Amino acid sequence: MAVEKKPRNQMPCRDPKERAGDFKEVSLGYDLQTAKAEAMRCLQCKNPLCRSGCPVSVRIPEFLHAVANGEIEKAGEIINTTNSLPAVCGRVCPQEEQCEKMCIRGKMDAPVAIGNVERFVGDYMLKNAAPKKTDKKQSDKRVAVVGSGPSSLTCAASLAAKGAKVTVFEAFHKAGGVLVYGIPEFRLPKSLVESEINKLAAAGVEIVTNTVIGKTLTMEELIADFDAVFIGNGAGLPVFLGIEGEGLNGVVSANEYLTRVNLMKAYEKDSITPVYRGKNVCVIGAGNVAMDAARTALRLNAESVTVVYRRGREEMPARKEEIHHAEEEGVRFELLTAPLKLVGSESRRVTSLVCERMTLGEPDASGRRRPVKVSGSEFEIKTDLVIVALGTSPNPLIKDSFKQLKTTERGAIVVDENMQTSVEKVYAGGDAVTGAATVILAMGAGRKAAAAIAEKLGL
Amino acid sequence: MYEILKIRRLAPNVREYAVYAPEVAKHAKAGQFIILRVDENGERVPFTICDYDKNAGTVTVLVQEVGYTTMLMGRLNEGDCLKDFVGPLGKPTDLSGYKNIVLIGGGIGTAVIYPQAKQLKREGKAADVIVGARNKELIMYEAEFKAAARELYLTTDDGSYVRKGFVTDVLKELLDKKHYDCVFAVGPMPMMKAVCNVTKEAGVHTVVSMNSIMVDGTGMCGGCRVSVGGQRKYACVDGPEFDGHLIDWDEAISRLGTYKEHEAECRLRAGKGE
């Protein structure tokens, strides 16, 4: 049967010039009409490949079918069976690399905009749906969840739905992990994360802030007090370049820059927490965090923001959409450019970044073509703020205080196929296991661990 | 919320706060620090723990009113609450490998060496203690140190009490007369740097406590990075104590001033009672 071509419904976005001046959300979301129209583009495949592309196996054709029929709440319930955070995932998942990449429709015209419809459903549920009472009987099994980012929230939600008594421990004063300190407001509104966390609290999950596991409470205490422990404390120490001048003032990690702005609200005029407002900002790295930092710098009134990356456009790890948004807003890219050293003033403020040009050689271990220096190509970029966004290495706090936990050489927690660590009763997932990755992969790990814990505890 | 159970005024603009935080108190060890926020819009500010009482569930910090947050704290009373109080962070002090120790406290750093003085006395190797301050009013814990130290040496910058001079003047005299295997110094960075210059020459191992700028205190932000022997260390998770002879002091002191314009602005606001 021939299928009629129907173009994909574009996500409406605010004007780049206007949005680069504030922190309000960039993408506006579908209205009901558009969501239904887009959902109708789904071919309802008998063997839906999109599902296999999703790390948490969302029942995509089913929820799209419900949306096409205008049954949004039903769609929400279908999504919730495997994904407790659709409003978040609809915004920050790299769908183009996952579900939408597998969508058969992509071979004909364009894949169904699954993420955009998921976001619509997630937002609808947060606004309209009453929290569903679980009919599952409360069990007396208690589970401690360390951290409150995507893997932990997912694990907590799954276990609570199965009747476990869950306590989430967060080191910061506010729950949400990378969703509140890392991803900026203009990409993921904080009120939305807060609603998700309130929902979890309403479902009976206890959330304890200001508690650093390995310091405020030890792993041994958690193991003694709880029937199982899930460690989802995320990535830790920021990676720096190891080049001359990194100790200069005005050189910060993306973690620090974004935490000051997002969690500590340093973008507000009256904020007590300071942040450097650079005029000519350089961001080193080209992942999603680098794009977030670059776009944040624009919104803090930088005159120029330059992303410096040693590989080429094709190799940039950030989502295409994020790169596109950044370019639209005026972020410049110096690709095939490697930082050599940072130069500072007498008062030790950074004044320039010395770089050299690269060219692409043979593929390396990662399969990406290895950048090779172009000799004699050194040049200088004038800058007063350098944001280093090269990823993170796992947080050492738990590993250092709890020696029986097996970790890799890099410090990542070792788990088996059920997300169980080398220690009985202790499970782990998310960036603490994989190193810096995506929200949805962390959620997948949290869900998997929850299933294993539930089975172990007989829930 | 974390209730302030007791406030003790030690000097003009210097107060000691005993805060009810039982889990922190239970796990605290000398040399570690906490991070607090006064209210919902507050900044996160680190303070070294100067005392703790596991039975009472309290942790004591010494606060000098020099910036926005510390000025806000100056207006709090016993029974008021702090919004957030997290810890104990960082690694505890470890002076177990040393026998003849000098403890040096400058300004409110004095509070940090007091638990060490007590502990060393308990272990039967009471330390010599040098306490320095700008003037007589800022000399703190004199009676406490008298009880815990082998010898107590006081000095004031302006000579308003005991003797005029810096802690380094006293230290030089002591190093000439006696043998020490470790100096532990806590105070403003320029003071710790000056101490290290003296002890480096004398070849005496020196431990210092770095009060770097930080946000989370768990290793995430990297703001507190310090160059130690050419390596990048994080004061919050690797420290706060380091071998003072290996620290790049000029970098550390300059990094402390990263936000000084903003801080001055906020101080002004706090002064106006905003």
Side-chain angles (χ1 to χ4, degrees), chain A residues 216 221 246 251 253 270 272, chain B residues 27 87 220-221 225 262 269:
Chain A
T216 316
E221 286 170 302
E246 260 180 320
V251 182
S253 75
D270 291 334
I272 296 311
Chain B
H27 296 89
M220 201 199 73
C221 79
R225 62 190 189 275
H262 177 92
R269 275 165 59 186

Side-chain angles (χ1 to χ4, degrees), chain A residues 346-368:
Chain A
E346 230 163 75
S347 60
R348 290 176 170 268
R349 289 265 340 226
V350 67
T351 53
S352 73
L353 172 65
V354 179
C355 302
E356 69 184 335
R357 298 290 184 196
M358 310 295 275
T359 180
L360 289 179
E362 294 300 306
D364 64 11
S366 73
R368 297 181 297 181

